[in-house]
Amino acid sequence: MAEGIPVARVGEIGDDEAIVVSRATAGTVDDIAVVLSDGEYYAIDNTCTHEEASLAEGWIEAGTIECPLHGSAFCLRDGEVQGPPAPRGVAVHRVTVDGDEILLTPDPSRLA
Amino acid sequence: MSAPASVAIVGGGIAGVTTARELRGGGFDGSITVVEAGPACYDRPPLSKAAFVDGASLDSLRFATAEEFAAQRIEVVTGNRAIGLAAPGERDGRVTLDDGGTLEAAGIVLATGARARRPAFPGADLPAIGVLRDYADASRLRAAAHPGSTVLVVGAGFIGAELASGLLALGAGVVLADRNAVPGARVLGATLATQLHAMHAAHGVDVRIASVIGAEAADDRVLVRLDDGSTVTADAVVVGVGIEIDTSLAEAAGAEVDGGIVVDEAGRTSVPGIWAVGDATRRRLPGGDLAFGAGHWEAAVLDARGTASAILGGEPAARGASWFWSDRYGIHLEVVGRLVGDGEEVVRRAEPGRPAAVLRVADGRLVGAASIDDPNTVRAARRLIDQRVPVTTTALADPAVSLRDLLRAAR
């Protein structure tokens, strides 16, 4: 059986859309945004490093996500911030697809 | 032209620090020094927003820690004001500092920003009357805002409007005076400006349509007379009536100034080896006219990117529609492009419990948009504007049509 926490089924996350997996479900210190962009799934810490904002509500395009408040963009692949005002990047987590199940494996360093 | 061997950046706000980081990120290998008159290099938009209400520490507003700057080999000198500038020529340029020191570099970037225009009415120099531009201003004003105190905010522009909201959140009584009945209408258009300005009264702000004619001390407070015949007795007064630009450094180096430091699309001043970015600048447009600086945060970031790119020998990226935000009364406003002037206004009707978005269409193209608590409509609008996607007012007015879908359909 594949590892990871089942968080959604394929088709439930639209292209350039995201869902939020709560920290309680993921067992992590932050909520996690699971994102589909250009046919690939990604998972990142959901809280912007600038102010309290849910990145899952931001603009998603071509493998990046823009904070809905002040527009800092983060690379979905490595979590790096591409511009201010966010001072630093966000943690990334592993996402795999097993059949039609989307599975999340949190970064061990972000476990609560 | 090859890149200068070293760069000194005067001013550690968003424009200066972004220039430094973009230079290093773009492969610049020489020394980079940022000299900042204030106690740290920090971000200013939060000073009138959440950080004001929360009493955020200066540390929390810093762009980077000392270690992060060191890792990027960016030397930061704080608490030291540049007071003189000699242009680079055969020798390096030289920045004179008010502690008597000097800083020499082959390339100089002026990122000195703007200061708040001081009020001129009689009594404006009373200690209880101030402006909001830096962290010390915010701390002073915050100390005067508590239940039982009254604060008069003069000017209902972006900073005044955000402060009114923040002061109210701190429990102070707020009087907001602006000489216009609908402040902001010249930028936001009447529909949106009216809706936003009405939030003040709805939240309990005493809104006056008036200018200040004078102030005098009244025990520990100030008595302020307004030109509508009314008075306000306030514990503190904060005046937000625009900015002024100190061009003295640019002038000292012989650079052209005209209500700001005159620059081209890459931030070059009229003096080789001196660039300028951010609020201190006025850009010469292709037709020769000078643009008035937008004074917005993102414009400063884009200036910095363009200038860093030019210093490295590249061309600045084409600039799209300008974008900015404002936060007040728990709502998040975003604006892109222009909401006034030629064209037709389209109002996206509010869904139940949801405020409207306002858009402007000219010649079948979107030219501006604003939204409240719906940033992705503006993010989509921004791309529709920059990609010149044909639009219809019917589709834009229909809240069932997502702007993102219009963008997707155009691909």
Side-chain angles (χ1 to χ4, degrees):
Chain A
M1 192 182 137
E3 286 179 31
I5 306 160
V7 292
R9 291 184 180 280
V10 170
E12 288 177 349
I13 306 174
D15 196 32
D16 294 328
E17 286 178 8
I19 60 164
V20 179
V21 178
S22 75
R23 59 193 78 191
T25 301
T28 46
V29 293
D30 190 10
D31 297 343
I32 293 175
V34 178
V35 186
L36 177 63
S37 181
D38 286 351
E40 279 204 55
Y41 290 98
Y42 303 92
I44 59 169
D45 274 11
N46 191 45
T47 306
C48 184
T49 56
H50 176 231
E51 284 182 17
E52 191 72 29
S54 166
L55 293 175
E57 291 169 31
W59 182 269
I60 300 159
E61 183 177 324
T64 65
I65 192 164
E66 257 181 36
C67 176
L69 282 187
H70 307 128
S72 272
F74 297 86
C75 174
L76 288 166
R77 189 171 301 281
D78 59 18
E80 282 197 15
V81 65
Q82 298 175 342
R88 61 194 67 85
V90 290
V92 295
H93 308 275
R94 207 158 85 88
V95 190
T96 49
V97 177
D98 181 34
D100 73 341
E101 201 116 64
I102 302 167
L103 302 168
L104 169 68
T105 309
D107 177 339
S109 74
R110 300 294 285 166
L111 293 175
Chain B
M1 196 180 95
S2 62
S6 53
V7 171
I9 299 167
V10 183
I14 183 66
V17 168
T18 303
T19 304
R21 290 171 147 179
E22 292 281 320
L23 275 173
R24 194 59 89 208
F28 183 76
D29 199 40
S31 73
I32 301 175
T33 308
V34 178
V35 55
E36 161 60 36
C41 297
Y42 62 96
D43 206 20
R44 284 179 165 75
L47 294 178
S48 54
K49 303 182 177 75
F52 178 74
V53 177
D54 299 343
S57 67
L58 181 60
D59 257 358
S60 71
L61 301 177
R62 285 176 200 266
F63 293 116
T65 62
E67 292 73 25
E68 286 165 337
F69 278 129
Q72 288 192 285
R73 291 189 293 128
I74 296 170
E75 189 189 343
V76 177
V77 178
T78 55
N80 213 330
R81 183 178 296 279
I83 54 171
L85 176 61
E90 287 182 11
R91 302 176 52 178
D92 280 354
R94 179 185 292 186
V95 182
T96 312
L97 305 175
D98 70 354
D99 72 351
T102 57
L103 201 61
E104 291 181 2
I108 309 284
V109 180
L110 297 174
T112 42
R115 56 192 178 205
R117 192 184 301 149
R118 310 294 306 196
F121 53 79
D125 54 353
L126 286 167
I129 299 178
V131 296
L132 185 109
R133 193 71 191 169
D134 60 24
Y135 187 80
D137 294 333
S139 299
R140 234 179 351 251
L141 183 60
R142 192 174 188 281
H146 46 78
S149 73
T150 298
V151 179
L152 168 63
V153 179
V154 180
F158 290 107
I159 287 178
E162 291 178 351
L163 277 178
S165 163
L167 291 162
L168 215 59
L170 290 169
V174 180
V175 183
L176 177 62
D178 194 292
R179 62 198 165 110
N180 297 309
V182 187
R186 278 185 308 169
V187 172
L188 300 172
T191 307
L192 183 60
T194 301
Q195 180 181 338
L196 290 169
H197 194 57
M199 295 182 76
H200 297 299
H203 283 82
V205 172
D206 175 354
V207 177
R208 316 261 178 104
I209 304 169
S211 298
V212 176
I213 53 179
E216 58 198 75
D219 300 323
D220 291 344
R221 311 176 86 193
V222 280
L223 175 68
V224 182
R225 292 185 306 282
L226 305 178
D227 65 358
D228 63 353
S230 69
T231 59
V232 181
T233 303
D235 298 273
V237 180
V238 59
V239 182
V241 292
I243 57 165
E244 56 192 20
I245 298 167
D246 180 355
T247 55
S248 57
L249 286 180
E251 285 173 79
E256 182 186 358
V257 302
D258 185 350
I261 306 168
V262 176
V263 295
D264 70 4
E265 75 287 349
R268 298 179 192 93
T269 69
S270 63
V271 173
I274 303 182
W275 289 262
V277 290
D279 286 0
T281 63
R282 288 188 73 190
R283 181 174 296 237
R284 191 174 302 284
L285 301 172
D289 290 342
L290 288 178
F292 280 99
H296 291 305
W297 183 94
E298 193 197 54
V301 171
L302 296 177
D303 280 2
R305 285 188 182 146
T307 290
S309 162
I311 290 173
L312 290 165
E315 284 298 315
R319 210 60 92 82
S322 65
W323 170 84
F324 63 91
W325 79 90
S326 178
D327 300 323
R328 81 266 308 253
Y329 301 114
I331 62 120
H332 177 70
L333 169 74
E334 291 200 9
V335 180
V336 65
R338 68 172 170 86
L339 295 173
V340 294
D342 291 346
E344 184 183 344
E345 181 176 270
V346 178
V347 178
R348 256 165 104 81
R349 290 178 187 286
E351 298 161 39
R354 176 148 206 170
V358 176
L359 307 106
R360 181 155 286 265
V361 176
D363 299 327
R365 300 288 196 283
L366 194 59
V367 295
S371 69
I372 294 173
D373 288 342
D374 184 9
N376 284 344
T377 285
V378 163
R379 310 291 169 96
R382 178 171 206 176
R383 288 155 174 93
L384 289 167
I385 295 168
D386 289 348
Q387 295 167 27
R388 296 191 47 75
V389 174
V391 292
T392 66
T393 54
T394 320
L396 292 174
D398 182 354
V401 175
S402 105
L403 267 61
R404 175 130 212 179
D405 287 343
L406 295 180
L407 191 62
R408 284 193 175 112
R411 289 211 175 119

